[in-house]
Amino acid sequence: MVSVRERIARLKNERNAVILAHNYCLPEVQDIADHVGDSLGLSIIAAKCDADVIVFCGVTFMAESAKILNPKKKVLMPEPYATCPMASMCSAEQIIDARKKHKDACIVGYVNTTASAKAEMDICCTSSNAVNIVSSMKEKDVIFVPDVNLGAYVRSKTPSKNVILWNGYCPVHQAITAQNILDMRSEHPEAIVIAHPECRSDVLETADMVGSTEKMIEFVRTSDAKEFIVATETGMEHRLRNGSGEKIFHFIPHALCSVMKMTSLSSVLKALENMEHEVLLTAETAERAKTPLEKMIELK
Ligand code: 13P
Ligand code: SF4
């Protein structure tokens, strides 16, 4: 009998499709993907992709970004309801209001937002380039939307800026506490703590390294340390274990993003079989959201 993996591989060829998966996806989904990475890396790959079809395994804002950056491609989301809760914490209307309130400020927006919110931003950023992007803005006042924790982290690294924070957050990273880290440190005293900047400030203060999912992977691969406490979503374990030899990883067991776990091999297969669920955006929103995304990619 032909396995699901084989059927996916066959259809991928027939459709001239490429499969992109985020570092938090299920291991078996990462294993069939052509590229696995963080949100910045996947956006760059999507922008340059010359396949006819992009199957995006991740959450809605990522698939939308792929469509915005490469509008001629058909972008399919195997799980169209896999929506990052942070993306609903900042609307286009709220950004328009904030601009009226802070007339001298620019708007830097995390990519974990809807396409219509992006359309109102000056520039986008990801967790991997947020500090550089904010530093590069000519305005002193920067409204950073929507992640309060990433915004506070950026503020701590850009003292010459007045970073105005929003009140969004990632429920998964918000649920990681400094006490969780302290407890793990006392259990594993030799371990190095690496944390995603979506974690709360008191968690980041306990960390030896702070970075995006891809930066964490790079750090672990080049570090001499053997043991790590990883303050981010547990899906990272698969990427971290691949190519890290005998290194040992400790995760916070409740750090699990249910929307990132929705995409399965069978939903990828169905997406390719039925060419479903296509990401569709209005031409105006897509066009306006493209500028802040492209500016981000130019600056990286
Ligand atoms: P990265 O940009 O580090 O991949 O993170 C995306 C995300 O959603 C983290 O929760
Ligand atoms: Fe959104 Fe958090 Fe899940 Fe990332 S981990 S997709 S920010 S809910």
Side-chain angles (χ1 to χ4, degrees), residues 4 8 11-12 19-20 28-29 32 55-57 76-79 262-274 276:
V4 174
I8 290 173
L11 275 168
K12 202 166 67 97
I19 301 178
L20 308 185
E28 60 271 28
V29 172
I32 50 111
V55 179
F56 213 112
C57 307
L76 303 179
M77 259 204 98
E79 292 291 342
M262 284 170 78
T263 308
S264 62
L265 286 187
S266 60
S267 59
V268 173
L269 177 62
K270 257 182 98 202
L272 280 164
E273 271 172 351
N274 304 331
E276 67 185 21

Side-chain angles (χ1 to χ4, degrees), residues 24 59 61-62 84-86 110 112 170-173 198 233 257 259-260:
Y24 294 159
V59 288
F61 76 82
M62 297 178 178
C84 166
M86 197 199 304
Y110 196 24
N112 298 40
C170 159
V172 177
H173 288 86
E198 285 178 15
E233 210 277 335
C257 175
V259 283
M260 280 287 188

Side-chain angles (χ1 to χ4, degrees), residues 86 110 144-152 165-170 174 197-199:
M86 197 199 304
Y110 196 24
F144 189 91
V145 300
D147 187 1
V148 68
N149 295 324
L150 178 61
L165 300 176
W166 207 257
N167 57 7
Y169 60 91
C170 159
Q174 191 73 6
E198 285 178 15
C199 292

